[in-house]
Amino acid sequence: MYKANENRYEKMIYRHCGKSGLKLPAISLGLWQNFGFGSVFENAEKMCHTAFDLGITHFDLANNYGHPFNGSAEENFKKILDRGLRSYRDELCISTKAGFDMWQGPYGDKNGSRKYLISSLDQSLKRMGLDYVDIFYHHVFDPNTPLEETALALDQIARSGKALYVGVSNYNTAQTEQISSIFKELHTPFIVNQPCYSMMNRWVEDDGLDKWAKSNGIGISVFSPLYQGLLTDKYLNGIPEDSRLAKGKTSIVKNFNEGVVEKAGRLNVIAERRGQKLSQMAIAWLLHNDAVSTVLIGASRPSQIEENVRALERLDFSNEELAEIDSILRS
């Protein structure tokens, strides 16, 4: 039976999620890849244990993680909880999401209806063997459902006790501001937006979402911080045969080109000067933005989690470093 590291809280940094009372670890674990059907369960379990032993208390899921076997990541997480991690439930922040295609028919496709969101969360709770999740997200903006309906459904979920807090994901500034105004009227515990954000994908800055979130007390939980592997040393000298990019299992295949690799190489030089790996500097750079509450990492093996957490050993940047990084990224 799993027993957690007694020193797990010594080195991890915790930040308030926006102006809420909830603290999140600076680095959280996302269970998007390598935790669903077809993954090696023992490896997935070891990654969760390694994360928690390092002070990572936040585990982020979604109803469709494990695609094409939707829900399989949540099912495997239940097994991990049952095999020892569940005894630490009050030390864990567990989140899940709903919004993308999940089951057949008009009620399980990509949407934000009350029918879909409440049904989906009930399914997720059953798959994980939980009475509640700590954060429940609407996964993607739905232009075909009135935003009031989505907001009221999330409010009802929070009031029912099935989620302690609610959030949105993949919402831009205007969409976040609009739903936030509804939540304010309802006094809904809306605390976080989860966008894709990295050195190579800075739409959050260009759209002003980070500044809006900071000024309005909403946290930002970042996913794809390593641009699905391009901000690591994996591709600096070509494409490894066993990589997701080589197998076409990543959405950034279309963005992989000599220019991206050249930028990654120049960034790697700065990282080496700082005594970091490129991936560690990429995480530290995101955490330098004080609007960011936590950075969600993915992993295929426990050692990657250990390596990424070491990004916290060097979070400071000189003005010269920031200027040089910005010059490379904007070139």
Side-chain angles (χ1 to χ4, degrees):
M1 182 67 74
Y2 168 68
K3 183 178 180 181
N5 178 5
E6 293 181 356
N7 302 316
R8 57 189 175 278
Y9 295 117
E10 287 188 357
K11 294 183 179 180
M12 179 53 65
I13 297 169
Y14 299 91
R15 297 180 168 188
H16 281 281
C17 188
K19 291 183 179 178
S20 76
L22 181 67
K23 291 183 179 179
L24 297 177
I27 295 175
S28 300
L29 183 63
L31 278 65
W32 176 33
Q33 303 281 353
N34 304 309
F35 290 88
F37 182 87
S39 301
V40 178
F41 176 78
E42 291 76 14
N43 183 57
E45 183 178 47
K46 180 61 176 176
M47 286 194 287
C48 287
H49 291 172
T50 297
F52 189 53
D53 285 343
L54 292 169
I56 293 177
T57 55
H58 180 210
F59 296 85
D60 182 72
L61 299 102
N63 59 355
N64 64 335
Y65 285 2
H67 180 80
F69 298 93
N70 290 346
S72 58
E74 291 179 330
E75 290 171 347
N76 280 335
F77 190 59
K78 178 185 185 298
K79 295 178 184 177
I80 294 170
L81 288 170
D82 288 342
R83 286 162 56 95
L85 195 58
R86 193 179 300 278
S87 63
Y88 301 94
R89 174 64 182 100
D90 289 340
E91 297 182 45
L92 305 178
C93 178
I94 300 171
S95 59
T96 195
K97 300 178 284 291
F100 286 103
D101 290 351
M102 185 58 192
W103 64 87
Q104 292 184 334
Y107 311 125
D109 61 5
K110 181 179 178 181
N111 69 66
S113 71
R114 175 188 294 271
K115 167 69 173 174
Y116 171 78
L117 290 173
I118 294 176
S119 297
S120 181
L121 179 55
D122 285 343
Q123 293 172 18
S124 291
L125 292 174
K126 183 176 181 180
R127 280 191 292 267
M128 291 187 285
L130 296 173
D131 296 323
Y132 70 94
V133 291
D134 297 278
I135 306 172
F136 182 62
Y137 291 90
H138 183 217
H139 206 164
V140 61
F141 180 79
D142 176 19
N144 299 313
T145 298
L147 204 55
E148 292 83 358
E149 179 177 344
T150 299
L152 284 166
L154 292 172
D155 180 74
Q156 178 180 330
I157 284 168
R159 292 180 188 278
S160 72
K162 293 179 181 179
L164 304 186
Y165 304 91
V166 300
V168 296
S169 181
N170 298 300
Y171 275 52
N172 63 26
T173 303
Q175 294 160 351
T176 307
E177 185 173 17
Q178 186 179 356
I179 199 168
S180 178
S181 66
I182 303 171
F183 285 139
K184 285 180 180 178
E185 291 182 11
L186 298 171
H187 298 287
T188 310
F190 168 56
I191 66 169
V192 63
N193 188 338
Q194 187 181 120
C196 183
Y197 179 30
S198 71
M199 282 180 157
M200 296 289 192
N201 181 7
R202 301 175 69 178
W203 80 269
V204 164
E205 300 170 22
D206 298 335
D207 189 62
L209 179 61
D210 56 341
K211 290 184 175 60
W212 182 91
K214 179 67 176 178
S215 62
N216 286 274
I218 302 300
I220 291 183
S221 174
V222 174
F223 72 89
S224 292
L226 304 181
Y227 205 47
Q228 297 195 27
L230 289 183
L231 285 167
T232 70
D233 55 14
K234 181 183 295 186
Y235 300 109
L236 294 178
N237 299 305
I239 304 176
E241 292 183 1
D242 63 344
S243 66
R244 282 198 294 147
L245 189 58
K247 298 174 182 177
K249 293 183 178 180
T250 174
S251 61
I252 49 88
V253 171
K254 62 182 180 297
N255 296 328
F256 183 82
N257 55 54
E258 291 183 3
V260 170
V261 175
E262 189 267 340
K263 286 182 180 182
R266 292 168 65 189
L267 292 169
N268 190 56
V269 172
I270 301 174
E272 289 178 342
R273 289 203 309 256
R274 289 169 50 83
Q276 291 181 310
K277 287 183 171 291
L278 176 56
S279 56
Q280 293 167 340
M281 185 180 76
I283 292 170
W285 182 85
L286 287 167
L287 289 169
H288 189 264
N289 185 336
D290 60 6
V292 174
S293 302
T294 188
V295 173
L296 288 161
I297 61 168
S300 60
R301 56 187 183 275
S303 60
Q304 288 181 330
I305 299 173
E306 295 170 340
E307 180 178 292
N308 286 335
V309 169
R310 286 198 290 273
L312 303 180
E313 297 172 3
R314 182 71 195 279
L315 294 178
D316 61 300
F317 287 86
S318 68
N319 290 334
E320 291 75 18
E321 286 175 328
L322 291 173
E324 185 178 2
I325 290 170
D326 191 67
S327 176
I328 292 170
L329 297 177
R330 298 296 187 185
S331 63

